[in-house]
Amino acid sequence: MNPLSVPIGLITRGTIAILLLMGAGVSAQDVTEPALKAAYIYSFAKFTEWPADVVPRAAEPFVLCVLGDAAVGDALERLVKGRVLAGHSMAVSHVAPAGPQSMCHVLYLSGVTASQAAQLVARHRDVPVLTISDVEGFTDVGGIAQFFFEQGQLRFSIHVGSAKRAHLQISSNLLALARRK
């Protein structure tokens, strides 16, 4: 499903909670799928705690990387512009599968095959990078968060074990909205 906008009937309780948690003043009728995914990605970052040794230095931004979905990347850039996360500005970086993702705090993957997703996750398995994707089976191969549609509604799952292995602490507020694996 790739609609130009998400009808109000498809906005779930979880989506409303995510939008409220992130403080976005967005009309539900105007939310596109890329903007909705960007809101989720931002909220995932906002409700995740990284180890102190990987938090950026004072002048450095939190880096949210997007691979394979320019529309989500563009929506995420618009969303995070002027916002701070744990006292840091945020930057969005569009990356390639073979390119470096070592500077990423968050890595969103889309438009890749399941085997490519598995390879990318393997490169970040024990690294404090919040990996998110809409690739089917993403959390089964070690990814942390996965978007999926269920009965026409955007939902997400979180693999708690993968988050722990990456030394990331996911807020209980976010876990309460997720399907846990």
Side-chain angles (χ1 to χ4, degrees):
M1 177 176 175
N2 192 10
L4 294 177
S5 64
V6 179
I8 196 160
L10 296 183
I11 304 294
T12 66
R13 231 181 21 221
T15 302
I16 292 168
I18 290 288
L19 292 172
L20 290 173
L21 287 172
M22 64 174 259
V26 178
S27 168
Q29 291 93 345
D30 297 333
V31 177
T32 63
E33 184 177 327
L36 185 59
K37 286 181 178 179
Y40 273 86
I41 293 165
Y42 170 72
S43 292
F44 292 172
K46 188 175 175 180
F47 290 96
T48 298
E49 186 177 319
W50 279 261
D53 62 336
V54 297
V55 173
R57 286 177 266 193
E60 295 176 355
F62 261 90
V63 179
L64 299 103
C65 296
V66 177
L67 187 153
D69 193 332
V72 169
D74 293 344
L76 190 57
E77 284 183 65
R78 287 188 300 275
L79 180 67
V80 303
K81 186 176 183 176
R83 293 182 189 244
V84 295
L85 179 65
H88 297 274
S89 63
M90 291 179 278
V92 176
S93 177
H94 297 262
V95 296
Q101 290 107 35
S102 59
M103 77 293 201
C104 302
H105 296 95
V106 175
L107 176 60
Y108 172 68
L109 315 169
S110 185
V112 297
T113 66
S115 64
Q116 288 172 315
Q119 290 172 359
L120 288 162
V121 165
R123 287 181 13 202
H124 297 89
R125 186 159 311 238
D126 298 316
V127 180
V129 174
L130 177 58
T131 54
I132 306 166
S133 184
D134 58 4
V135 173
E136 188 173 335
F138 185 69
T139 54
D140 296 333
V141 297
I144 296 172
Q146 178 185 333
F147 294 128
F148 61 94
F149 280 95
E150 183 177 77
Q151 299 175 352
Q153 298 178 347
L154 183 64
R155 301 195 187 266
F156 65 95
S157 61
I158 293 180
H159 194 289
V160 176
S162 294
K164 285 181 181 177
R165 188 174 50 248
H167 309 288
L168 300 175
Q169 179 65 44
I170 308 291
S171 165
S172 60
N173 292 329
L174 186 58
L175 291 175
L177 300 171
R179 178 180 293 165
R180 293 191 209 184
K181 289 195 164 198

